């Protein structure tokens, strides 16, 4: 029986935004967002990433995609997406995969609507359309410049200015996805052929990232589009100062230091331990109060760390837990390396701006005032949910 296969081409090279497919929006690599969007679609049977880059391949595999090695000849700046898709189809055929429908997703579109992707697949599967693409309706008046530099109307009569409600819309491609009948695509070697259809997506999701400015816009939009979600993590790691505390300390005359912690955070840690979810503290500073608090909570604490990420990797490797399934809670710039490595970068609300920008989740509770408990509850909520959520779900009604 033929399958519907989502194929995501992802080159390692990019001039406008270096390492673009690995850059994060809402705390998640772009390639991972595309994989998760495809996996959420009910009618996608298989998700494949075709890439020339080892790091992209590693992230894609960790997020559950199958891999096709993209040849160097098809990975340069002049290579077309169609060539990568055709090569991937040949590779899949050699593996015995019968592809009936191709869903071509672009990782540079961070807010792919899975419901709309499913609608496009249904249109192609039913043979009502041969090729379907995502688009937003536009009522804009378009102009072009003549050779002499004069403006000329393109999609309207310049002598007549109708009201919006009196006009029929045009449709602007979003670039998020194209769904194609595989046989027709192989024959024409182009994404548009036969009867072409349009599936509308919400305008707020219609952004393609080709510049640093567009990346910044997408990051600003992510909290509004992704919404609140349970944290589907298998392990929790936290900083100490500013997370278990409010980042202040009292110093006595003899130089001893004390901090204020939250009893509710202790409850959260205990709940994680009862659920069998590993938790640890990583701290740059060396302070007896860290060891004392960790001992009270019954969890390991690693102090005096110049390389938090190295210790985090070793700890996760020892447990057999991939970084994509780890929630890391931090508040300052020395947490960025860890935040940028895990699947669930989490920040307290008063964190440094660069930490807030890197976070997939920003908690409601401040450090030292229930932040750890809130994270624990969201991890436990995800553990209780069925199925576990792995990404924000962009829907028509969200």
């Amino acid at each position: 029986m033929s399958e519907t296969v989502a194929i995501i081409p992802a080159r390692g090279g990019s001039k406008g935004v270096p390492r673009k497919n690995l850059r994060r929006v809402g705390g998640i690599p772009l390639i991972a967002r595309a994989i998760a969007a495809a996996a959420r679609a009910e009618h996608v049977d298989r998700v494949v990433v075709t890439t020339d880059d080892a790091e992209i391949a590693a992230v894609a595999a960790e997020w559950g995609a199958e891999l096709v090695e993209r040849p160097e000849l098809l990975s340069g700046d002049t290579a077309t997406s169609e060539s990568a898709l055709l090569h991937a189809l040949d590779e899949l055929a050699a593996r015995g995969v019968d592809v009936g429908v191709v869903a071509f997703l672009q990782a540079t579109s961070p807010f792919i609507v899975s419901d709309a992707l499913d609608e496009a697949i249904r249109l192609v599967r039913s043979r009502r359309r041969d090729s379907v693409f995502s688009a937003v309706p536009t009522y804009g008046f378009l102009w072009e410049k003549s050779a002499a530099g004069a403006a000329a109307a393109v999609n309207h009569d310049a002598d007549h200015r109708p009201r919006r409600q009196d006009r029929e819309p045009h449709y602007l491609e979003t670039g998020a996805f194209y769904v194609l009948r595989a046989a027709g695509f192989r024959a024409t070697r182009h994404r548009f052929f036969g009867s072409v259809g349009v599936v509308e997506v919400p305008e707020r999701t219609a952004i393609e990232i080709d510049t640093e400015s567009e990346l910044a816009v997408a990051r600003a939009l992510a909290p509004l589009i992704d919404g609140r979600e349970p944290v589907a993590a298998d392990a929790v790691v936290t900083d100490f100062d500013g997370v278990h505390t409010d980042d202040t300390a009292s110093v006595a005359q003899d130089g001893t230091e004390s901090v204020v912690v939250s009893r509710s955070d202790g409850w959260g840690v205990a709940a994680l331990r009862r659920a069998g979810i590993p938790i640890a503290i990583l701290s740059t500073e060396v302070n007896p109060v860290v060891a004392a608090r960790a001992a009270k909570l019954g969890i390991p604490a690693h102090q005096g760390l110049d390389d938090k990420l190295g210790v985090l990797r070793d700890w996760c490797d020892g447990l057999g837990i991939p970084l994509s399934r780890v929630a890391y809670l931090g508040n300052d710039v020395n947490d960025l390396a860890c935040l940028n490595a895990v699947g669930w970068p989490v920040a307290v609300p008063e964190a440094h701006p660069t930490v807030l920008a890197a976070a997939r989740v920003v908690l409601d509770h401040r450090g030292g005032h229930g932040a750890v408990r809130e994270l624990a509850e969201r991890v436990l909520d995800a553990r209780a949910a069925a199925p576990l959520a792995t990404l924000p779900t962009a829907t028509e009604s969200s």
Side-chain angles (χ1 to χ4, degrees), residues 14-17 20 108 207-215:
S14 175
K15 290 183 177 178
V17 182
K20 177 169 60 179
T108 49
I207 181 170
E208 281 192 277
I209 297 174
D210 289 310
T211 66
E212 292 285 353
S213 294
E214 289 164 341
L215 178 61

Side-chain angles (χ1 to χ4, degrees), residues 40-372:
R40 284 196 306 270
E42 178 184 354
H43 298 302
V44 169
D45 301 307
R46 187 185 301 257
V47 182
V48 175
V49 170
T50 171
T51 184
D52 62 321
D53 186 89
E55 189 178 0
I56 292 174
V59 172
E62 195 165 290
W63 282 78
E66 296 182 33
L67 300 174
V68 167
E69 186 175 350
R70 185 169 172 175
E72 184 178 350
L73 182 64
L74 304 180
S75 302
D77 292 339
T78 60
T80 65
S81 296
E82 278 84 352
S83 67
L85 293 172
L86 289 165
H87 172 263
L89 287 174
D90 288 342
E91 287 293 310
L92 291 171
R95 299 175 190 177
V97 180
D98 180 11
V99 182
V101 175
V102 177
F104 162 32
L105 276 66
Q106 299 202 108
T108 49
S109 292
F111 307 118
I112 298 173
V113 181
S114 301
D115 291 350
L117 176 60
D118 264 329
E119 182 182 348
I121 292 170
R122 285 193 294 269
L123 287 171
V124 174
R125 274 186 168 179
S126 67
R127 293 188 173 270
R128 291 173 59 193
R129 296 290 182 263
D130 297 300
S131 169
V132 178
F133 64 95
S134 60
V136 290
T138 176
Y139 294 83
F141 293 100
L142 300 181
W143 295 76
E144 64 183 1
K145 286 186 178 180
S146 68
V154 173
N155 65 340
H156 64 286
D157 182 352
D159 296 329
H160 176 58
R161 181 59 53 138
R163 299 176 303 170
R164 177 187 176 97
Q165 59 265 38
D166 296 329
R167 302 180 66 207
E168 292 297 322
H170 292 84
Y171 290 91
L172 177 67
E173 286 180 54
T174 69
F177 62 76
Y178 304 83
V179 177
L180 322 167
R181 190 166 51 83
F185 174 61
R186 280 188 173 278
T188 62
R189 306 178 72 83
H190 196 273
R191 72 188 73 176
F192 299 117
F193 58 90
S195 176
V196 178
V198 173
V199 167
E200 293 185 33
V201 297
E203 186 176 3
R204 65 186 179 278
T205 69
I207 181 170
E208 281 192 277
I209 297 174
D210 289 310
T211 66
E212 292 285 353
S213 294
E214 289 164 341
L215 178 61
V217 169
R219 285 172 169 170
L221 286 172
L224 304 176
I225 295 176
D226 292 345
R228 183 183 176 93
E229 57 178 333
V231 178
D234 295 328
V236 174
V237 181
T238 76
D239 186 19
F240 187 76
D241 292 325
V243 171
H244 287 265
T245 77
D246 63 1
D247 218 15
T248 62
S250 298
V251 182
Q253 286 183 335
D254 62 1
T256 56
E257 220 175 73
S258 64
V259 297
V260 175
V261 296
S262 169
R263 289 190 182 277
S264 70
D265 285 346
W267 182 96
V269 170
L272 289 175
R273 293 181 61 205
R274 285 195 299 272
I277 298 172
I279 178 170
I281 295 171
L282 303 186
S283 178
T284 304
E285 302 297 325
V286 177
N287 193 323
V289 74
V290 179
R293 181 59 175 165
K296 174 77 172 177
L297 297 173
I299 61 176
H302 305 269
Q303 298 188 64
L305 303 179
D306 293 326
D307 180 16
K308 279 189 171 184
L309 179 56
V311 174
L312 174 63
R313 289 187 189 279
D314 290 343
W315 186 74
C316 291
D317 287 346
L319 293 169
I321 297 175
L323 289 174
S324 63
R325 297 292 301 179
V326 173
Y328 183 95
L329 175 57
N331 75 309
D332 216 332
V333 293
N334 60 349
D335 296 310
L336 283 172
C338 292
L339 290 166
N340 287 327
V342 300
W344 290 94
V346 184
V348 292
E350 69 278 13
H352 189 277
T354 57
V355 171
L356 294 174
R360 180 174 178 178
V361 174
V362 178
L363 300 174
D364 295 325
H365 291 77
R366 296 184 294 117
H369 294 272
V372 175

